[in-house]
Amino acid sequence: MNSKKAIVLPKYFKIFEQIGENIKLARKRRKLTAEQVSERAGIHRATLYRMEKGDPSVAIGLYFNVFRVFNLQDDFLKLGLDDKFGRKLQDLNLL
């Protein structure tokens, strides 16, 4: 099966790097090892390493599993929540 590599523009890669840093900090705050988090999330240790480095090719479901380990799964509900541009477009159609 062919897997496609995620293409992310360099200016947006910093977002993934920040998410990776947030994951690493959450793990360290809880004094969990990478092995503990990987096992609890059901992923390989190398995948967690890639996530902590901000690799955009890691599946979003795996990110969710790691956030769940930290009890941060509700943060996923915030993705795309504040769609200011979409609401402006919708309001224009209402005029």
Side-chain angles (χ1 to χ4, degrees):
M1 185 167 141
N2 291 340
S3 62
K4 293 184 179 181
K5 186 147 175 104
I7 298 173
V8 178
L9 296 175
K11 68 180 183 177
Y12 298 123
F13 191 75
K14 290 191 181 302
I15 294 170
F16 283 92
E17 288 177 338
Q18 185 61 60
I19 293 169
E21 183 68 20
N22 293 348
I23 289 171
K24 189 175 196 174
L25 288 172
R27 176 174 63 79
K28 290 186 175 207
R29 284 186 199 110
R30 289 160 177 77
K31 297 184 181 353
L32 295 171
T33 66
E35 289 77 20
Q36 289 171 317
V37 173
S38 299
E39 184 177 310
R40 292 175 188 181
I43 62 174
H44 193 276
R45 168 63 191 100
T47 302
L48 180 61
Y49 176 79
R50 289 175 40 222
M51 293 168 76
E52 289 184 352
K53 292 295 182 188
D55 185 343
S57 68
V58 176
I60 194 167
L62 300 182
Y63 276 94
F64 179 82
N65 285 348
V66 170
F67 274 66
R68 181 185 45 77
V69 169
F70 301 140
N71 200 30
L72 296 172
Q73 62 274 9
D74 290 344
D75 285 5
F76 264 69
L77 295 173
K78 297 174 186 174
L79 294 174
L81 181 65
D82 191 21
D83 184 12
K84 292 178 186 178
F85 183 71
R87 282 198 306 274
K88 284 181 182 181
L89 289 173
Q90 183 180 35
D91 290 347
L92 284 173
N93 286 330
L94 297 175
L95 295 178

